[in-house]
Amino acid sequence: MAHNRSNLRHGVDVARPLGIGFILAAMLPLVILPLASIFIFGFSKGPVHFWDALMTPAALFSLRLSLMTSSVATICNVIFGLIAAWVMSKYAFKGSSALMIIISLPTAIPTAVAGFALLLVWGRNGLLGQFLEHTDYQIMFTTAAIILANIFVTFPLAFGVIKPALDNLDTSYEEAAETIGATRWQTFRYVVLPSLRGALVTGALLTFARSIGEFGSTIMVSGNLALKTQTAPLYIFTKFNEGDVEGANAIAAVLAILSFAVFSLILFTRQKLEK
Amino acid sequence: MIRENVATSFQETQTYVEPATETRAALVVRGLSKWFGSEQVLDDVSFSLAEGESLVLLGPSGSGKSTTLRLIAGLEAPESGEIFLHGRHIEHLPARERNVGVIFQNYALFPRMTVAENIGFGLRIRGIGKKRRHEVVERLLAMIGLHGQRDKYPAQLSGGQQQRVAIARALAYEPELLLFDESFSALDPKIRVTLRGEIRALLKKLRVPALFITHDQEEAMELGDQVAILNGGRLEQIGTPREVYNNPQTEFVATFVGAANVVEACWRDGHIAIDCTQCPETAASARKMERSKLVFRPEDITLGLPTGLVETPYHLGRGRVVDVSFNGATETLRVQLQQRRQPGALTSVVPARSCGMEADSPCDLVIRVVRSKWDAERLPLAVGAPVSVGLRSYKTLS
Ligand SMILES: Nc1ncnc2c1ncn2[C@@H]1O[C@H](COP(=O)(O)OP(=O)(O)O)[C@@H](O)[C@H]1O
Ligand SMILES: [Mg+2]
């Protein structure tokens, strides 16, 4: 609405083309070029090359592992986020603001620190890890460790989306359901949950997107074992270090496309489900 | 027919308290008090609502109307007091067990359910089968005249349609009482009047007792078999609209329900006198004077030519028109009364016959007068015109 108005008043508004030009000029070396180069280099030797690099067992395994661990972490954090949002939004209790900060803390912590902290808990001599020492179960350097790391670093993301949605939900809907005769569960199931679907989907996608690219904490707790605990970002890093640029590039391109798709979905659900 | 009515008869005999009035009452509220923190929002509120009738809680914003409704619905808990629904104690029951229908101020239709799903919700959660549910929903849709809208979502409906769906949704599970919280205030005035009439007719047909809440006195008069006036958490008066309008018990009721002139008055020599400023503490006559307030409606005044006497039972002497405004069917005037010259004399409300017409001087007392279009045509009055002021009836407040 605003851009038309200034145009009509002054004929040609130089601020507009200059402003847009500035944004593009700044973004080109900072963002656009690096993104584009992934695809330019990925396909520079032709699609067959790209395909071959992608189809190696280790590459495919790393993608599958990333998808799997991110999905599990997403499910855990959405369920936790929903319950936590409900409790924090419905009940006032002493120390609730302190709890709020603690819930939100994990994403603020550097991922390497998060991974290190997990090692201190689950490692051989860790707080809890020592009890696993003489059992057949191990957490560190397994898939479970990757999932734990993913859960940790994406912990408050779903909560952060669901909580405000729940806060903004007019309580009169719940009160109406109650006077009609619904139990608390029925009210939650039929009235609250449907109103939160936009927030749930957005929260899940955010968690997933953040989780699938996780590197810092994963490399600390996974051991980076090819075909065992090597996620896609670790694969890219490892291949590049080994000098296999094409191998790194193929997975990088896939991850970039995946993130782009998830991001588009987030925008789409914001518009479609949250109205 | 859907509701289970097994356990109630036993409880009814238990709480069989005051035979004549209370058993016929659908709702009895007794001694209800509510605090929010250190603020007392309701103070010992008691009233009852007869079967099939409607009661309107009328009061200014913040007087505790919504709180009263929420206490009856079970959405808040009172500090003290009892609530009986058809003779059964309900104040300790959770909202879902009270079998009360609430039409919220914003209607609170479930946004992700269609009109039909909204209406059927009460049956669905009671485990009523699809077929039966469908029957009830179709019947209610026909009743509210929204058959074509059954698959729409609330956001696609107008305010009036939403209100009707909210009523149908409440009626579906056959509540023993309907509660309406400011249900008309969000609608535009034309629709408001039509809907009020429709809802009143519907409730009379279904014989469902209803409690309305409003701050609009015109709406209260139209909707209520009984009107209860709430002020600052206290019930000031309860009665039929006629009683409340014609026989207000407090100054608040007099001025809140319709317009009223309230003036300081004194009893003197067996008749009432009003003073322009204040009743003197010690009158020249040394006779003890009793002070009270005099209330009369703007339409209780009849204006006449200053040269003659108006043919009304009482007379307020002479006055001067200070303001005239045209309202269509009526005309509103403000008239400044004039005081007699004698020292210490008061403008008397006296039988017209004994009223003399001595020269007067203006005083501070300005009263509001409403005349019908026909009276205004018979005696056109402009600002500044001198008039004689007749009074048809008045009330005194202690
Ligand atoms: N949940 C609440 N917490 C604290 N104060 C409240 C709450 N609900 C209402 N009040 C107060 O109680 C008073 C009466 O409110 P309400 O019953 O909503 O009045 P009305 O419906 O007549 O406008 C107001 O002063 C309001 O601020
Ligand atoms: Mg209110």
Side-chain angles (χ1 to χ4, degrees), chain A residues 170 172-173 175-184 186 190-191 194-195 197 273-275, chain B residues 70 73 75 95-96 100 102 104 106 108-113 121-122 124-126 169 173:
Chain A
D170 196 331
S172 66
Y173 297 126
E175 290 182 342
E178 216 184 315
T179 60
I180 289 169
T183 60
R184 274 193 204 202
Q186 285 170 327
Y190 296 119
V191 177
S195 296
R197 65 180 187 189
L273 297 179
E274 278 186 3
K275 30 161 216 200
Chain B
R70 293 172 62 80
L75 298 171
R96 65 172 171 277
V100 165
V102 183
F104 287 83
N106 61 356
L109 296 178
F110 305 132
R112 304 264 187 252
M113 294 187 200
F121 184 69
R124 180 171 164 203
I125 57 172
R126 282 169 176 76
R169 182 177 71 177
Y173 55 95

Side-chain angles (χ1 to χ4, degrees), chain B residues 187-249:
Chain B
L187 303 172
D188 74 72
K190 275 255 165 62
I191 295 178
R192 209 184 293 180
V193 174
T194 328
L195 266 181
R196 262 191 240 151
E198 278 177 24
I199 284 164
R200 192 165 160 74
L202 180 68
L203 291 177
K204 285 291 161 207
K205 197 176 94 189
L206 298 172
R207 302 259 322 138
V208 185
L211 180 76
F212 291 92
I213 276 184
T214 182
H215 60 262
D216 178 346
Q217 51 102 5
E218 184 193 319
E219 186 171 302
M221 302 269 216
E222 183 180 336
L223 285 171
D225 294 313
Q226 300 270 316
V227 177
I229 290 100
L230 209 54
N231 181 28
R234 288 176 152 275
L235 201 62
E236 297 249 342
Q237 190 175 349
I238 180 165
T240 64
R242 250 170 243 279
E243 281 164 6
V244 169
Y245 187 79
N246 291 333
N247 200 3
Q249 298 297 307

Side-chain angles (χ1 to χ4, degrees), chain B residues 59-117:
Chain B
S61 170
S63 58
K65 306 181 297 290
S66 294
T67 304
T68 310
L69 180 139
R70 293 172 62 80
L71 288 170
I72 297 169
L75 298 171
E76 303 279 358
E79 260 69 50
S80 64
E82 298 171 302
I83 306 168
F84 299 88
L85 188 57
H86 291 116
R88 167 174 72 104
H89 260 291
I90 59 163
E91 70 271 3
H92 59 279
L93 293 178
R96 65 172 171 277
E97 288 170 32
R98 294 195 181 194
N99 206 27
V100 165
V102 183
I103 288 83
F104 287 83
Q105 193 160 5
N106 61 356
Y107 312 129
L109 296 178
F110 305 132
R112 304 264 187 252
M113 294 187 200
T114 63
V115 166
E117 285 167 348

Side-chain angles (χ1 to χ4, degrees), chain A residues 150-162:
Chain A
N150 276 346
I151 288 178
F152 187 97
V153 299
T154 63
F155 195 65
L157 291 179
F159 170 80
V161 178
I162 299 167

